[in-house]
Amino acid sequence: MKVLVINCGSSSLKYQLIDSASEEVLAKGLCERIGIDGRLVYQKEGLDKEITEAPMPTHKEAIQMVLDALTNPVSGAISNLSEIEAVGHRIVHGGEKFSGSALVDDAMIEAVAECTELAPLHNPANLIGINVCKELMPGVPMVGCFDTAFHQTMPDYAYLYGIPYEYYEKYKIRKYGFHGTSHSFVSRETAKFLDLDINNSKIIVCHLGNGASISAVLNGKCVDTSMGLTPLAGLVMGTRSGDIDPAVIEYLGHKLGASVEEVLEILNKKSGVLGLSKYLSSDFRDLGEAALNGNMYASIALNVFDYNVVKKIGSYVAAMNGVDAIAFTAGIGENDRFVRAKILDSFGYLGITVDKERNKVRGRNVKISTDDSKVDVVVIPTNEELAICRETVAIVSNTAR
Ligand code: ADP
């Protein structure tokens, strides 16, 4: 089955056309600057990237351009749109309504719209993608895959905040968690790769990218995760503060004469390792290099990041009463062996030992712990598009039966 995977943001859209049987990516790319001017990047498997600048006033023109590129007689990956048998959409927030992926129907569209308050930047863009695909590809089954769904198995004592219960009842204020598609994919791949029985396993997944989160996966189900009501919570990230004393918001607002919204903007966009490094960079490559060259603030930023990851992993070992495997994924988790080595240095008490040579490998699944390490540590490249493709095929095939 050929599946078009769409990840629609407010001014951008990423796409991949995947053959689900071979799991080969037939074509991929992105539309950028939607509503501003417009730029399509398209790459057919085995060929160079093509870049087309063209007006994209709305997502409709953007998706139409993607479909035209996919069916282009010269560089297209398919000869006819009817070859696309299903579309998988990434949706950021499913609230408490979705504990798994599901077929897109009117009820889902309504439910996603209701969750807009919880993800005001993302859910409206996701809905636009769904509606435009419905219009341009009528009758093609579509599946929604939620970033929050995998975390819906958390027990109430893990997802409730220590605030009056009525705010959970009235306003649904609780921990939801994000990056769920990645945590689900990586935990399953980890079990497969290490030959663990997922139904009898304790896995900690560290998704360390520009946005970063960690989850505790017990017997294949998420029991805790570091992000919260929004993706601002948890670890110190590229530009996000992660957990802070909530009183900082009022205190800083006073000092700066800033509104709550303005302080939140600082916590989202100017904090994390960017802010800690005195705005040097949010990119770990820059910070690593600067730290090596003696930049004190880059070192501080990296130390704070590492320390927060160490504490979170430790707390999830406690939450699961042990751990069989720790998996690293996403931009930093997959690529930064120094960060991994530094974090893992703190787990001598768990009997973890790292193999320095294995830790240098990149771009594929690899066990980086030594064979006699008491806990396996792996690097598993995440692949959210493939995960969405697999979910889409499973749901569409099930519905067709
Ligand atoms: P997101 O999807 O949240 O935007 P990614 O998972 O793509 O983030 O991760 C991006 C981050 O990964 C970069 O900001 C950078 O810090 C880090 N990164 C990417 N490549 C490397 C590398 N080779 N070495 C160290 N860090 C890297």
Side-chain angles (χ1 to χ4, degrees):
M1 186 184 282
K2 285 175 187 146
V3 179
L4 180 61
V5 175
I6 300 265
N7 180 353
C8 212
S10 52
S11 69
S12 69
L13 178 158
K14 291 187 202 144
Y15 64 92
Q16 284 195 5
L17 182 67
I18 303 177
D19 181 336
S20 67
S22 62
E23 299 199 331
E24 187 192 352
V25 178
L26 305 173
K28 64 179 178 182
L30 74 154
C31 298
E32 291 172 299
R33 301 176 62 80
I34 301 169
I36 305 167
D37 36 29
R39 184 170 186 262
L40 171 79
V41 181
Y42 172 82
Q43 186 172 26
K44 185 183 170 180
E45 162 70 11
L47 296 183
D48 287 341
K49 271 186 194 158
E50 290 172 19
I51 296 176
T52 316
E53 314 270 348
M56 290 176 191
T58 69
H59 286 74
K60 186 167 174 187
E61 290 81 13
I63 295 180
Q64 185 63 60
M65 279 185 72
V66 171
L67 299 180
D68 290 347
L70 288 171
T71 51
N72 181 299
V74 182
S75 57
I78 48 176
S79 48
N80 198 299
L81 266 193
S82 62
E83 287 180 48
I84 300 177
E85 287 173 84
V87 182
H89 291 272
R90 176 194 179 206
I91 305 175
V92 167
H93 220 305
E96 289 188 315
K97 294 224 166 75
F98 297 95
S99 54
S101 304
L103 211 58
V104 174
D105 56 14
D106 290 346
M108 178 193 279
I109 291 175
E110 202 177 309
V112 173
E114 277 171 22
C115 293
T116 290
E117 258 190 334
L118 295 168
L121 293 180
H122 295 99
N123 273 26
N126 300 156
L127 277 178
I128 291 172
I130 289 174
N131 286 325
V132 171
C133 284
K134 259 178 82 171
E135 199 181 325
L136 298 178
M137 288 182 277
V140 177
M142 300 200 288
V143 169
C145 302
F146 298 87
D147 274 21
T148 47
F150 183 61
H151 304 302
Q152 277 295 304
T153 46
M154 281 188 286
D156 55 4
Y157 55 79
Y159 70 68
L160 285 172
Y161 293 126
I163 57 174
Y165 196 84
E166 64 187 277
Y167 300 139
Y168 166 59
E169 291 176 314
K170 277 194 208 155
Y171 310 124
K172 294 281 169 248
I173 296 176
R174 51 160 285 179
K175 179 189 279 197
Y176 289 98
F178 298 87
H179 294 139
T181 308
S182 178
H183 286 288
S184 163
F185 178 84
V186 171
S187 54
R188 273 185 251 177
E189 287 292 303
T190 300
K192 236 191 286 171
F193 183 61
L194 293 173
D195 213 10
L196 289 173
D197 173 9
I198 185 106
N199 298 312
N200 186 19
S201 64
K202 297 171 177 177
I203 299 174
I204 294 175
V205 178
C206 306
H207 177 112
L208 308 179
N210 199 23
S213 66
I214 302 190
S215 63
V217 184
L218 179 65
N219 303 331
K221 293 193 167 60
C222 176
V223 290
D224 207 344
T225 192
S226 60
M227 282 179 169
L229 174 76
T230 74
L232 178 57
L235 302 172
V236 168
M237 306 180 215
T239 65
R240 290 174 234 165
S241 65
D243 292 342
I244 55 164
D245 178 343
V248 168
I249 295 172
E250 192 237 16
Y251 190 80
L252 186 59
H254 263 302
K255 291 282 174 201
L256 299 177
S259 65
V260 169
E261 288 74 18
E262 285 164 341
V263 175
L264 281 175
E265 178 87 0
I266 295 171
L267 297 182
N268 265 303
K269 306 236 171 98
K270 294 189 173 157
S271 299
V273 291
L274 175 69
L276 283 165
S277 66
K278 290 209 166 180
Y279 310 115
L280 179 71
S281 178
S282 61
D283 193 303
F284 276 59
R285 286 162 287 200
D286 302 335
L287 294 172
E289 203 184 309
L292 272 181
N293 291 328
N295 183 312
M296 181 178 93
Y297 302 104
S299 297
I300 289 173
L302 291 172
N303 288 341
V304 173
F305 178 86
D306 294 345
Y307 180 64
N308 274 272
V309 173
V310 165
K311 282 198 297 182
K312 195 55 81 182
I313 293 175
S315 71
Y316 288 167
V317 175
M320 294 195 288
N321 192 12
V323 60
D324 298 316
I326 298 174
F328 285 91
T329 196
I332 301 157
E334 289 168 31
N335 295 303
D336 200 326
R337 65 188 153 104
F338 302 105
V339 166
R340 287 196 303 258
K342 175 101 185 301
I343 290 166
L344 292 167
D345 239 6
S346 297
F347 290 103
Y349 74 95
L350 287 180
I352 290 180
T353 44
V354 177
D355 182 312
K356 282 203 177 109
E357 287 309 308
R358 290 179 186 171
N359 191 30
K360 287 182 187 161
V361 177
R362 275 169 66 177
R364 63 177 169 83
N365 292 355
V366 59
K367 181 164 115 171
I368 60 169
S369 50
T370 58
D371 289 337
D372 60 358
S373 175
K374 295 262 167 29
V375 175
D376 288 326
V377 185
V378 289
V379 174
I380 305 281
T382 193
N383 191 337
E384 285 163 289
E385 290 78 12
L386 178 58
I388 292 175
C389 169
R390 286 180 184 168
E391 294 273 309
T392 301
V393 171
I395 303 260
V396 168
S397 315
N398 242 340
T399 321
R401 241 178 250 147

